[in-house]
Amino acid sequence: MKVFAIGDLHLGFDNRIEKPMGVFGKDWEDHESRIKEDWLKQVKDDDIVLLVGDLSWGLRLEEAMADLDWISKLPGKKVLIKGNHDLWWQSYSKLSKAYPELNFLQNNSLDFGPVVVTGTRGWVTPGSEQYKAQDDEKIYKREVLRMEMALKDAAEKMDEGKVLIACTHYPPMNDKHQGTDFTRLLSEYGVKTCVYGHLHGKNVWPKGLNGTLNGVKYSLVSQDFLGGKLKLIYDTEEEK
């Protein structure tokens, strides 16, 4: 079993969505085709693909269905978390009922045998340039509680030999690569790898950490940073 990750697909296949992504530069020109091409090359049905938010421009589930259908038809076991632009993501139960073939993460975890996956959206973190206490502190603290809830759920599924992988949409560290309550929790619960998205553009990518902090390996997996190619983050065969 292999575990891949990619985020920020920003799909808009529904005719009601007018979001031509090419206006954001060559990294976004026909990006859906490049993602699909690489996905089909790399992913087998038994593999896992972590999709770390900002998946569809749809404002309602009806507008996001064409994008979710596109994701559903690709190989692998798909795990989805909510991004800040995923306004269509309103009800976990409604989503799970509409797409039982997809795995939605919301304050919970998923057991795939050798791998347990958990995570939450996250938020702008203290110490970051964009963080404004009067606007962000309440949401940040709420998201920290959600992260802890998800990690506690994962801890109940962990056995000897299992690997814990976490997903967030926002970077869990601040833009100076300093620790936060998110990174503290990820370390305390023994997460091996955490993948995240949200950051776009060559001037912004360096604000995210691609490396190890307090025993956890962090990887930025926004699609433009990856050039439309899924990132392999874990391979059970290599660990044997």
Side-chain angles (χ1 to χ4, degrees):
M1 175 194 292
K2 294 180 179 179
V3 182
F4 298 90
I6 191 168
D8 305 88
L9 304 187
H10 286 291
L11 302 174
F13 287 116
D14 191 286
N15 291 331
R16 291 167 287 188
I17 305 298
E18 297 183 5
K19 288 286 186 178
M21 296 301 293
V23 300
F24 296 107
K26 64 179 182 179
D27 292 326
W28 292 97
E29 292 176 358
D30 196 28
H31 72 290
E32 309 96 328
S33 297
R34 288 184 283 110
I35 292 170
K36 183 176 181 179
E37 180 181 4
D38 183 72
W39 193 313
L40 293 175
K41 284 181 180 178
Q42 293 204 72
V43 181
K44 308 301 181 186
D45 286 337
D46 289 336
D47 294 332
I48 301 168
V49 181
L50 310 177
L51 299 162
V52 298
D54 280 4
L55 306 176
S56 170
W57 282 115
L59 298 178
R60 302 180 300 277
L61 179 56
E62 292 73 19
E63 295 176 347
M65 281 182 167
D67 304 326
L68 294 174
D69 290 342
W70 184 85
I71 291 171
S72 296
K73 293 174 183 176
L74 292 168
K77 303 169 185 175
K78 279 77 71 174
V79 177
L80 289 66
I81 66 167
K82 184 179 182 179
N84 58 302
H85 288 296
D86 289 319
L87 302 181
W88 52 272
W89 185 313
Q90 298 294 323
S91 168
Y92 173 83
S93 59
K94 184 177 180 180
L95 288 173
S96 298
K97 184 176 181 180
Y99 289 92
E101 70 277 18
L102 298 177
N103 300 281
F104 298 94
L105 273 182
Q106 187 169 314
N107 307 334
N108 62 329
S109 62
L110 300 163
D111 190 346
F112 292 101
V115 173
V116 175
V117 180
T118 192
T120 188
R121 180 189 64 178
W123 196 250
V124 181
T125 55
S128 295
E129 183 179 343
Q130 292 184 321
Y131 184 84
K132 302 293 186 291
Q134 66 271 25
D135 299 323
D136 297 313
E137 184 175 10
K138 182 177 180 179
I139 304 174
Y140 168 73
K141 289 183 176 179
R142 183 183 67 198
E143 288 294 317
V144 169
L145 291 175
R146 288 176 172 172
M147 173 67 83
E148 187 165 21
M149 186 184 305
L151 287 166
K152 285 181 177 178
D153 186 72
E156 295 178 356
K157 300 170 183 175
M158 293 296 292
D159 292 321
E160 186 176 354
K162 288 191 175 187
V163 169
L164 181 55
I165 296 174
C167 312
T168 64
H169 176 65
Y170 285 87
M173 71 295 297
N174 66 29
D175 55 18
K176 303 174 184 64
H177 300 178
Q178 296 169 334
T180 65
D181 287 321
F182 292 124
T183 62
R184 173 182 57 80
L185 287 170
L186 294 169
S187 295
E188 287 178 1
Y189 279 84
V191 170
K192 179 181 179 66
T193 297
C194 177
V195 292
Y196 63 93
H198 188 66
L199 302 180
H200 303 299
K202 293 180 180 179
N203 295 328
V204 178
W205 294 332
K207 295 183 179 181
L209 172 64
N210 284 287
T212 301
L213 178 64
N214 295 328
V216 181
K217 182 178 180 182
Y218 292 92
S219 294
L220 171 61
V221 295
S222 53
Q223 86 79 24
D224 51 328
F225 178 73
L226 298 179
K229 298 181 184 295
L230 280 69
K231 183 178 179 65
L232 175 64
I233 63 168
Y234 188 75
D235 185 346
T236 56
E237 293 300 316
E238 291 183 358
E239 297 298 319
K240 290 182 178 179

